[in-house]
Amino acid sequence: MPQLTIINGEVLIPERGMVRAGLAIDEGKIVAIAKESVLPEGREIIDASGLVVMPGIIDPHVHLGFGHGFEKDCRTETRSALLGGVTTIGCFIGGTCLHSQTFPELERIFNTQAFTDVFPHLCINTEEQRAEIPVYVNQFGVTSFKFFMFCIPGYMPSQSNAFILNGLRTIAKFSSYCLASIHAEEASILTEQWNNFFRSGKKTLIEWAAHNPVEAEELGVIIAASLAAMSQCRVNIVHLATAAGLARIRALKRINPFITVETITLYLTLNCLSEVAPEEARWSPAVRSSEDQEALWRGVEEGIIDTIGTDQDCVTREGLQKFIQDYGVSGSSAVTPLLLPLLLTEGYHNRGIPLEKLISKITINPAQLWGIYPQKGTIAVGSDADLVLVDLNREFEVDYRKLFSVADWSLYQGKRLKGFPVMTIKGGEVVMKEGKILPEWGKGKRIKRG
Ligand SMILES: [Zn+2]
């Protein structure tokens, strides 16, 4: 007798489509997908009538440690993620310390505090870290990295093309399962314009967009794609924000098999005319025009954009002020728990993007890209029983107080969303039901790859 069966739901299987079927789950894995009449009866039965059963959502782009320190953030933000059906996150690990020295402690934190599973991406910021890449792959089972062609001045220096190329060549030696993310904006254009912006005392998002010329991303994309081709290293261009960048990627993808691209919820849901407090959305890369926003949605529909993340780096309201003071840019509120509802509202309901296509960007595509498929990202016999049961037509209002994040504010406060995650199941266990998180402690694990 399986531990759990889910019956009467519409099951969304990536690359297969919607299937009317029941699921049987045992020992944390999916063990059968079948018509209810032939499905063995579970010890526990969930009736998913009127709901869509989707794979657990993957947010491939999350930062921790900006709210209340890394350990506490890991606990609160991965717990909060369950509210949105997110069962796995990709977490960027920054800093200039040798990861060989800090990683064992991070591993302990992930394995004791996280409510979701986690696959870390190590940022390569120094020559010493670059030299250690073999250790990260061979000893730690980390196969994804990140380079900053542009980084927030005062926070971390931007990296030269020579440094990135050298890093990509080091990574490419380990064969095709390694992947490097690149923040692809040309630094000299932005540095000059940012200086002008901060000297001018300007504030609005329109002015911020004007001081973040789209050419910086367009050129950044061309450089990142060239570095990928030269090194033959797979490169994922993260947080794409502009139509110009997208147009370059569309053309480059035809001749360059090494590049993939991510955009984030912020650029899909806002533009520089949106009615939000400017200091809550002074992001880097900047939110641009509504034309840029709509181009990104077309990129999602066409399949040019491979994955969608949140780039969440939760800060408190106080922390937000400090970010603006110290670096001139905003941190974020809790977005990971809203990733799925935001995409359902803006993509599926408001723009008519087919559900299966939309959901592939936050399930199968990131799972395949980061080497955790078919354990994650799909509904198949043998896959982890990570699932979210969604009421596509149920509306709700965003309230940060119900997201249990360290962020005591929300960029989306009061916004009505359509598409409600009713239940989250992780490893065969119901971990969230109707906005209530059930386990006391997280059972998330760091996923080893390679
Ligand atoms: Zn990021």
Side-chain angles (χ1 to χ4, degrees):
M1 191 185 243
Q3 143 203 358
L4 174 71
T5 47
I6 301 170
I7 57 168
N8 301 330
E10 299 282 330
V11 182
L12 184 69
I13 303 180
E15 293 186 335
R16 286 279 307 281
M18 204 78 98
V19 184
R20 254 304 355 268
L23 303 177
I25 291 163
D26 202 49
E27 293 183 348
K29 304 274 182 194
I30 295 165
V31 294
I33 305 170
K35 277 200 307 199
E36 282 79 354
S37 56
V38 295
L39 198 70
E41 195 172 299
R43 286 193 291 278
E44 188 189 343
I45 298 168
I46 292 168
D47 185 349
S49 298
L51 304 177
V52 178
V53 182
M54 300 179 187
I57 305 301
I58 300 169
D59 182 350
H61 194 152
V62 173
H63 301 263
L64 297 170
F66 292 93
H68 283 150
F70 197 91
E71 183 152 359
K72 195 165 176 201
D73 275 17
C74 180
R75 181 169 163 77
T76 56
E77 304 320 306
T78 58
R79 184 172 179 273
S80 170
L82 299 178
L83 293 166
V86 174
T87 50
T88 302
I89 64 163
C91 178
F92 286 89
I93 310 294
T96 52
C97 295
L98 283 175
H99 294 300
S100 60
Q101 286 168 15
T102 50
F103 194 78
E105 171 62 4
L106 293 175
E107 173 112 319
R108 180 195 69 77
I109 293 172
F110 289 137
N111 288 334
T112 56
Q113 302 298 317
F115 283 73
T116 62
D117 289 336
V118 182
F119 57 104
H121 315 294
L122 298 179
C123 298
I124 303 299
N125 291 315
T126 69
E127 186 50 45
E128 292 71 27
Q129 289 173 333
R130 189 202 63 77
E132 272 199 346
I133 287 172
V135 175
Y136 306 154
V137 179
N138 294 330
Q139 284 182 30
F140 298 152
V142 173
T143 57
S144 53
F145 302 94
K146 182 171 181 189
F147 296 93
F148 292 86
M149 195 182 290
F150 175 72
C151 199
I152 297 164
Y155 182 64
M156 195 75 76
S158 301
Q159 292 161 352
S160 70
N161 295 334
F163 178 81
I164 298 173
L165 180 60
N166 203 9
L168 295 181
R169 284 189 166 137
T170 309
I171 293 167
K173 291 203 184 101
F174 291 96
S175 96
S176 57
Y177 55 76
C178 287
L179 179 71
S181 290
I182 295 187
H183 179 139
E185 289 188 293
E186 204 283 326
S188 68
I189 296 177
L190 289 185
T191 307
E192 188 188 334
Q193 292 283 336
W194 279 36
N195 286 338
N196 293 342
F197 179 86
F198 292 121
R199 266 201 302 268
S200 71
K202 289 174 177 167
K203 287 222 150 46
T204 68
L205 288 184
I206 302 171
E207 290 162 339
W208 179 238
H211 286 81
N212 284 263
V214 295
E215 289 82 358
E217 182 165 86
E218 194 179 350
L219 193 50
V221 161
I222 295 168
I223 295 168
S226 303
L227 297 175
M230 286 168 192
S231 60
Q232 309 226 325
C233 180
R234 289 196 304 141
V235 162
N236 188 45
I237 292 166
V238 288
H239 50 51
L240 192 84
T242 69
L246 183 79
R248 290 290 177 181
I249 287 169
R250 184 183 287 113
L252 284 163
K253 272 191 158 186
R254 292 192 200 111
I255 52 166
N256 186 333
F258 295 100
I259 50 170
T260 51
V261 63
E262 168 206 78
T263 191
I264 61 170
T265 36
L266 192 78
Y267 310 129
L268 291 170
T269 58
L270 295 181
N271 61 66
C272 62
L273 292 173
S274 298
E275 285 180 16
V276 291
E279 296 198 339
E280 292 182 2
R282 194 192 293 158
W283 204 258
S284 170
V287 276
R288 307 307 210 294
S289 69
S290 60
E291 287 78 20
D292 290 293
Q293 184 185 3
E294 292 314 313
L296 293 173
W297 277 114
R298 279 194 299 282
V300 168
E301 178 146 28
E302 281 173 49
I304 304 291
I305 290 174
D306 300 279
T307 67
I308 302 173
T310 61
D311 206 353
Q312 168 176 290
D313 58 350
C314 280
V315 291
T316 59
R317 180 155 284 287
E318 203 186 327
L320 180 67
Q321 297 307 324
K322 196 164 157 37
F323 249 60
I324 289 279
Q325 233 172 49
D326 293 352
Y327 306 116
V329 296
S330 316
S332 85
S333 55
V335 207
T336 301
L338 301 175
L339 171 61
L340 175 62
L342 284 169
L343 295 187
L344 290 174
T345 305
E346 296 292 340
Y348 173 69
H349 289 297
N350 293 353
R351 292 179 178 79
I353 295 180
L355 191 60
E356 193 202 329
K357 179 160 277 177
L358 192 61
I359 297 308
S360 68
K361 320 286 178 188
I362 49 173
T363 55
I364 189 169
N365 290 6
Q368 288 181 335
L369 209 54
W370 278 285
I372 55 173
Y373 177 84
Q375 182 192 352
K376 306 288 186 190
T378 193
I379 296 176
V381 171
S383 294
D384 285 357
D386 295 351
L387 303 162
V388 53
L389 278 53
V390 182
D391 184 339
L392 291 179
N393 294 311
R394 185 157 144 199
E395 297 189 20
F396 70 102
E397 201 168 278
V398 177
D399 182 354
Y400 69 83
R401 285 164 290 216
K402 293 180 181 168
L403 297 178
F404 312 121
S405 161
V406 296
D408 50 353
W409 63 288
S410 174
L411 186 58
Y412 300 100
Q413 185 72 7
K415 186 176 166 74
R416 279 200 83 71
L417 299 181
K418 190 172 180 183
F420 185 74
V422 173
M423 184 183 284
T424 306
I425 294 170
K426 186 183 167 296
E429 189 188 334
V430 178
V431 288
M432 188 285 291
K433 196 175 172 185
E434 292 282 350
K436 266 189 126 130
I437 296 157
L438 301 172
E440 289 268 324
W441 287 93
K443 292 181 187 165
K445 286 278 166 283
R446 199 274 289 196
I447 308 169
K448 267 194 178 164
R449 294 167 287 160

